[in-house]
Amino acid sequence: MRLTKNVKQVIILLAFVFPAILFYFVFVLAPTFGGVWYSLTNWNGLNPTYNLVGFSNYIEALTDDPYFLDSIWFTLKYVIFMVVLANFIAILLAVLIETQKRGKVWFRTIFFMPNMISLIIGGFMWMFIFTKVLPYIAENTIFHFLDQSWIGDTRFSFYTILILSLWSGVGYLMVIYIAALQGVPQQMKEAAAIDGANGIQTFLNVTLPMIYPALTIGLFVTLNNSFKVFEAVYALTGGGPGRATQVIALNIYEEAFMMSSRYGYASAKAMILFMIVFIVTLIQLWIMKRREVEA
Amino acid sequence: MSNQGMNTGLIGRRAGSALIFLFLSIGTVLTLFPIYMGLLNSVKTQSEMLTSILSFPTDFQFANYSSAFIKINFMKSLWNTIQIAAVGLVGIIVFGSLAGYKLSRTKGKLSALLFGLFIFSTLIPFHSLMITLVKVTQELHIQGSIYGLGLIYIGLGVSLAIFLYHGFVKSIPNDLDEAAVIDGCGEFKLFYSVIVPLLHPVTATIAILNLLWIWNDFLLPLLILTDSDQYTLLLSTNMLFGEYSNDWSNILASLVLAMLPIITFYLFLQKYILNGIADGAVKG
C-alpha cells in the first residue's frame, strides 16, 4: 500500500515535470553534452564523418591560437572595467535618486530606459553618435578632441564598447540597488546623522553594509554577463579593426559560423568559456559562503 | 548659536540637494542623447543631416519612415517577433509553473535531483551550447521556423521560471492542497483551480522578464532563422544596416521604428516592469 502510494507520487511528479524536462533536455542539456563530445573531435560541419582527437582542440586553442588568447584577455579587461564601473555608477545613481522627492520616478524611468532597447539597436544609435555626431561637434565647436576614430582606432574602440555597455546595463543594476536601499530603515540613517555622521560616513557605515546582499547580486550579474558579452561588440565594431576588439563569444561565433566551420574546434573554445564562467561562479559562491559564516 | 547652526545646515542641505538634482539631470541628458539624436535626424534629409546634425529639422521628412517601414518589412517583422514571443512565453509559463509547483511540493531525492538539474543550466553560457543547438534544430527540421524558435526559447527559459515558481509556492500553505484533496479534487484540477490563481504575482514577473529577453534577443534568431520573411524586428534592422550602411536617415528611421513597440510597452507599464526586474533579480 505504502509502496504504491510512493510510486503514484513519483508518477504524478514526473507527469508535472515531463514537458519542462523534455524541452530542457532537447534544447539545453543535449546541446551542452553534445558540445562536450564534439569538442573532442575534428567534426567540421560539412563532412559527415569525424574522428576523436582527444584534447588537441583544447591544446590548439590555448597555445596556438593568438586571436583566441587575445579575445580572452580583451574580455577579461572588459569584465574588470564593467564590474567596477557599472556597479559604482549604479550605486551612485541609486543613492542620489533616493535623496530626491519629486523627480524620483522620472529619473528612475529614464535611467532604466536604455535597458529596454536591444543592444543591437542601441549599438547602431551609438555608432551614429561616434561616427557622425561627435566629429560634427569637434568640427563646429571648441571640443576638437572629440574628433577621433572612435570605432576604427583600437585605443578608443574599447572605451566606445564600454560606454555602450554601461549606457545599456547600468539602469538594470540601479533598479536592484534602489530596491535594496528602500529596505534600509530610515531610523538607522537618522540615528547616524544625530550621532554626527555626515552623508558619506552614513553611507559607508550604515547604508552600504545593509545593501551587501544586493551588491553580491549586482557583482554576480555583471560578472556573468560581461564574460558573455557579444552584441555590444557585434553592433559597434564587429570585433574590428582587424580582430582587435574581438571577445570570446564573438571568436566562437566566427570560428563556427563565419570562418572555417570547424565545429569541433569551436566547441572546444565554447567549453573553455563554460569553464571560465563555471570557475568564476564557484569562487563567487565560496566567497559568499565565507561572508555568511562571518556575518 | 544653535539656531544659526541649524540655518547653515539647512542651506547646505538645500544646496547639496540642488547639486544632486543638477548631476542627475546631466545624467538624464547623456542617457537620452543618443535616442534624441536618432529621433532628430531621422526626419532630416541626408544633406541637412550632414550640415546641421544638432539643430532642429527645418522640414520634416517622413519619407524616411515610409521607406524604412517597407525596407524592414515592419508589419511582418513585428508579427514574427510577437508570434515567437507568444509561443515562448506560453510554454515557459505553463510548463514552468507545472514543474515548479510540483517540485516544490514533493520531498525526496528525485525531486531535489530534478530541481538541481534545472538550476545547473544557469551556469551554462548560451555560447557554449549554440553550435550543437544549431545541429539539433537541423536534425529536428525546425531550423528556419519561427514556431521552432519559440520552442527553443521554452527550453532555454523554463529553468528560471521553475526556480521562481519553486520559491513562490513555498509561501503558499500546504493546507490548501490538502483541503482540496479531501474535497475530492484531482491533482491537475487542484493545480489549475486552486494554485494557478495564487501564482499571478510571480507569473507577471516571469512574463515580463521573458518577454524582454525574447524580444531583445539577437543571436539565437540570427542562427535559427534563414529566410528574411521570418526575420524579427532586430534581424530586419540588422540586415538594413548591413545593406545601407551609410544612409543614416533611413537607418535612424528604422531604428526608431524597431524600438517603438518596446518603448511604448515600457512607458505604459514601467511600474510593473521595474518591480518585475527587481523581484526577478533578487530571487533569481
Side-chain angles (χ1 to χ4, degrees):
Chain A
M1 183 67 201
R2 212 183 138 70
L3 186 81
T4 51
K5 199 190 161 201
N6 267 343
V7 170
K8 196 183 155 206
Q9 238 188 6
V10 168
I11 291 171
I12 292 170
L13 174 67
L14 291 178
F16 271 82
V17 179
F18 178 73
I21 282 279
L22 178 69
F23 281 89
Y24 179 63
F25 179 80
V26 172
F27 295 123
V28 177
L29 288 184
T32 305
F33 290 112
V36 175
W37 165 253
Y38 285 123
S39 74
L40 304 169
T41 71
N42 61 1
W43 177 42
N44 71 7
L46 307 168
N47 205 331
T49 60
Y50 54 83
N51 299 310
L52 270 174
V53 293
F55 285 98
S56 70
N57 287 331
Y58 290 87
I59 293 166
E60 183 183 343
L62 292 173
T63 60
D64 202 21
D65 189 337
Y67 289 123
F68 183 60
L69 294 176
D70 283 350
S71 78
I72 293 181
W73 291 120
F74 189 83
T75 310
L76 215 55
K77 184 175 154 195
Y78 172 86
V79 168
I80 293 167
F81 273 81
M82 272 305 278
V83 168
V84 174
L85 287 176
N87 285 290
F88 175 76
I89 298 172
I91 292 176
L92 184 70
L93 287 178
V95 169
L96 294 184
I97 286 174
E98 276 302 295
T99 66
Q100 299 292 306
K101 289 202 173 64
R102 263 160 291 166
K104 206 187 241 177
V105 177
W106 274 101
F107 284 128
R108 206 178 54 169
T109 305
I110 290 171
F111 284 124
F112 183 74
M113 198 192 285
N115 198 263
M116 299 292 295
I117 302 169
S118 153
L119 268 168
I120 294 294
I121 294 178
F124 292 158
M125 279 188 175
W126 276 100
M127 174 96 100
F128 180 67
I129 301 294
F130 284 120
T131 60
K132 297 283 162 192
V133 178
L134 291 187
Y136 179 89
I137 294 176
E139 204 176 306
N140 294 287
T141 64
I142 53 162
F143 303 110
H144 301 303
F145 67 94
L146 288 174
D147 188 19
Q148 307 290 351
S149 174
W150 295 101
I151 307 285
D153 189 330
T154 25
R155 279 176 305 158
F156 301 113
S157 44
F158 173 75
Y159 296 98
T160 53
I161 293 169
L162 203 63
I163 289 171
L164 168 64
S165 306
L166 290 170
W167 175 78
S168 166
V170 159
Y172 179 81
L173 297 167
M174 178 200 73
V175 169
I176 297 174
Y177 289 126
I178 287 180
L181 285 172
Q182 286 169 347
V184 178
Q186 193 58 36
Q187 298 100 303
M188 284 182 72
K189 284 185 263 181
E190 278 163 11
I194 288 169
D195 288 346
N198 64 29
I200 292 169
Q201 285 170 332
T202 310
F203 174 74
L204 287 179
N205 298 315
V206 179
T207 313
L208 196 59
M210 292 290 290
I211 61 167
Y212 265 146
L215 189 64
T216 317
I217 296 168
L219 292 177
F220 188 78
V221 168
T222 30
L223 257 178
N224 270 285
N225 288 344
S226 307
F227 270 112
K228 295 184 270 189
V229 56
F230 177 83
E231 290 173 9
V233 182
Y234 180 95
L236 265 188
T237 67
R243 295 172 84 164
T245 58
Q246 201 168 56
V247 286
I248 302 176
L250 193 59
N251 185 284
I252 296 170
Y253 171 79
E254 291 200 339
E255 188 71 61
F257 302 113
M258 307 297 281
M259 324 269 278
S260 58
S261 295
R262 287 179 68 192
Y263 282 14
Y265 182 50
S267 296
K269 290 179 174 182
M271 289 308 134
I272 292 171
L273 173 64
F274 183 14
M275 236 86 89
I276 294 173
V277 173
F278 188 69
I279 291 167
V280 167
T281 311
L282 285 187
I283 293 173
Q284 201 163 20
L285 288 176
W286 179 70
I287 293 173
M288 274 164 65
K289 265 263 159 59
R290 244 183 34 163
R291 175 164 290 155
E292 263 169 35
V293 172
E294 277 170 13
Chain B
M1 163 71 197
S2 74
N3 204 4
Q4 204 180 10
M6 260 171 75
N7 270 341
T8 51
L10 199 65
I11 291 166
R13 222 175 302 150
R14 285 244 173 94
S17 176
L19 262 179
I20 290 172
F21 185 82
L22 185 72
F23 179 85
L24 289 173
S25 303
I26 294 172
T28 314
V29 170
L30 288 177
T31 303
L32 293 178
F33 184 66
I35 302 172
Y36 173 72
M37 276 290 126
L39 270 174
L40 202 65
N41 287 290
S42 68
V43 287
K44 291 179 190 167
T45 60
Q46 189 83 2
S47 60
E48 189 187 353
M49 195 184 83
L50 292 176
T51 51
S52 46
I53 211 162
L54 297 174
S55 42
F56 210 73
T58 48
D59 176 29
F60 286 82
Q61 292 291 323
F62 290 108
N64 293 337
Y65 277 90
S66 49
S67 128
F69 192 88
I70 295 163
K71 278 179 185 147
I72 61 169
N73 206 347
F74 183 78
M75 292 314 279
K76 180 79 176 148
S77 303
L78 179 65
W79 178 233
N80 289 340
T81 317
I82 290 172
Q83 289 181 86
I84 294 164
V87 173
L89 272 189
V90 170
I92 288 170
I93 287 170
V94 173
F95 301 154
S97 59
L98 278 168
Y101 161 70
K102 208 64 204 172
L103 287 171
S104 182
R105 280 290 189 254
T106 314
K107 304 284 165 268
K109 279 193 188 130
L110 179 66
S111 175
L113 180 81
L114 289 172
F115 186 60
L117 195 65
F118 281 112
I119 298 311
F120 170 67
S121 80
T122 51
L123 289 172
I124 308 170
F126 173 73
H127 312 92
S128 296
L129 57 85
M130 66 180 177
I131 301 165
T132 328
L133 179 62
V134 169
K135 167 132 177 101
V136 168
T137 60
Q138 286 164 350
E139 299 281 330
L140 295 174
H141 301 289
I142 55 171
Q143 209 194 20
S145 148
I146 55 172
Y147 300 113
L149 180 55
L151 298 180
I152 300 173
Y153 280 119
I154 300 176
L156 294 178
V158 81
S159 301
L160 177 66
I162 289 176
F163 182 72
L164 292 173
Y165 278 122
H166 188 272
F168 190 85
V169 167
K170 278 188 208 154
S171 67
I172 301 173
N174 206 5
D175 308 359
L176 268 178
D177 299 38
E178 280 159 13
V181 169
I182 290 168
D183 287 348
C185 209
E187 285 284 342
F188 283 97
K189 182 137 188 296
L190 156 71
F191 173 73
Y192 181 74
S193 47
V194 179
I195 303 298
V196 166
L198 297 172
L199 294 177
H200 281 336
V202 70
T203 300
T205 300
I206 291 169
I208 286 169
L209 291 177
N210 285 294
L211 179 66
L212 295 184
W213 162 54
I214 297 174
W215 196 272
N216 283 332
D217 191 34
F218 174 71
L219 184 52
L220 182 60
L222 185 70
L223 295 175
I224 300 299
L225 301 178
T226 43
D227 186 6
S228 63
D229 255 7
Q230 308 151 334
Y231 274 8
T232 60
L233 276 174
L234 282 183
L235 288 188
S236 301
T237 316
N238 180 52
M239 191 178 65
L240 176 109
F241 189 82
E243 278 174 31
Y244 302 86
S245 58
N246 247 322
D247 183 2
W248 275 105
S249 27
N250 248 310
I251 294 169
L252 292 175
S254 77
L255 294 182
V256 173
L257 283 176
M259 69 179 185
L260 202 62
I262 197 89
I263 292 294
T264 315
F265 175 73
Y266 176 58
L267 292 180
F268 275 104
L269 295 174
Q270 56 101 0
K271 197 179 126 197
Y272 302 97
I273 294 172
L274 292 176
N275 286 341
I277 297 284
D279 274 3
V282 173
K283 281 154 198 158

